[in-house]
Amino acid sequence: MEKMQDTFDPKPRKFIVWLFVVSSTIMFGGFTSYYLVFAASKGKGHGLVLPDAFIYSSLVIIASSITLVLASRALKKLNFSLQRNMLCITVILAIAFGVMQFNAWGSMVRTGATLVGNNAAISFIYVVSGMHLLHIIAGVGLIINALAGSYKSLPIAKVQYRMEIASIFWHFIDILWIYLYVFLLLNR
């Protein structure tokens, strides 16, 4: 067991996370490129006023990134209690983000903007926000993994590794959402 701890090398695992971040960036870049080509060929965008829930969820995800930064700082000071509290708040904010996404979709449906309709640009909103929500779910899994690591008697290097992986991924999906929201606002 002692020997296994000495051989813990986080670099290959971090590389996998970065690879996933890059591949997700390419995927969402492909989505938005498709949208631009589609909108240019049809001469129109989605034409919707985006639901207020999208702006509120943007604020919530920014707040969650702040709480995650506070959790990382607490870990650096070995203040595990504060780290756990900040991680729990981050998970709660992530759940709130997901609920707001469902509220936004419900608001769109009530206005007649459905996933399946005669405007593919509107379907695009559902697809990108839904794919982003799947990334949120994965991010919550990583945060819970970091939280569990702080409760176990793991070596500090592993606890820091879990925290770093969760932070990399969470900040990525935070920035990704801001990009998607601004993209949708500017390309109506």
Side-chain angles (χ1 to χ4, degrees), residues 99-121:
V99 169
M100 288 179 189
Q101 294 294 294
F102 280 101
N103 286 340
W105 295 333
S107 175
M108 289 174 58
V109 167
R110 284 189 292 278
T111 63
T114 58
L115 173 64
V116 180
N118 59 1
N119 188 347

Side-chain angles (χ1 to χ4, degrees), residues 109-176:
V109 167
R110 284 189 292 278
T111 63
T114 58
L115 173 64
V116 180
N118 59 1
N119 188 347
I122 292 174
S123 301
F124 171 82
I125 297 171
Y126 286 99
V127 171
V128 295
S129 59
M131 290 298 292
H132 183 265
L133 188 58
L134 290 177
H135 283 70
I136 290 287
I137 293 168
V140 167
L142 291 173
I143 292 169
I144 290 173
N145 187 42
L147 184 62
S150 74
Y151 280 105
K152 294 179 181 178
S153 56
L154 295 175
I156 191 67
K158 284 190 177 183
V159 174
Q160 289 170 334
Y161 160 75
R162 288 180 178 201
M163 190 70 217
E164 186 176 354
I165 294 297
S167 295
I168 290 168
F169 191 77
W170 194 259
H171 294 310
F172 162 69
I173 56 177
D174 179 3
I175 292 168
L176 178 63

Side-chain angles (χ1 to χ4, degrees), residues 5 9 12 16 30 51 73 86 98 113 116 132 134 138 175 177 186:
Q5 292 175 357
D9 183 11
I16 291 171
R73 286 185 182 173
M86 290 296 117
V116 180
H132 183 265
L134 290 177
I175 292 168
W177 175 252
L186 296 178

Side-chain angles (χ1 to χ4, degrees), residues 4-15 157-158 161:
M4 279 182 62
Q5 292 175 357
D6 291 341
T7 61
F8 176 70
D9 183 11
K11 288 181 183 175
R13 295 175 185 166
K14 283 183 190 174
F15 177 75
K158 284 190 177 183
Y161 160 75

Side-chain angles (χ1 to χ4, degrees), residues 49-109:
V49 175
L50 293 176
D52 289 341
F54 278 153
I55 186 69
Y56 299 138
S57 61
S58 300
L59 297 174
V60 165
I61 201 165
I62 290 170
S64 71
S65 275
I66 293 169
T67 56
L68 199 59
V69 167
L70 294 175
S72 292
R73 286 185 182 173
L75 178 61
K76 285 180 184 172
K77 295 176 182 172
L78 301 178
N79 186 346
F80 294 107
S81 175
L82 181 60
Q83 181 211 14
R84 291 172 189 147
N85 289 339
M86 290 296 117
L87 287 174
C88 288
I89 292 171
T90 305
V91 169
I92 291 168
L93 290 171
I95 292 168
F97 178 87
V99 169
M100 288 179 189
Q101 294 294 294
F102 280 101
N103 286 340
W105 295 333
S107 175
M108 289 174 58
V109 167

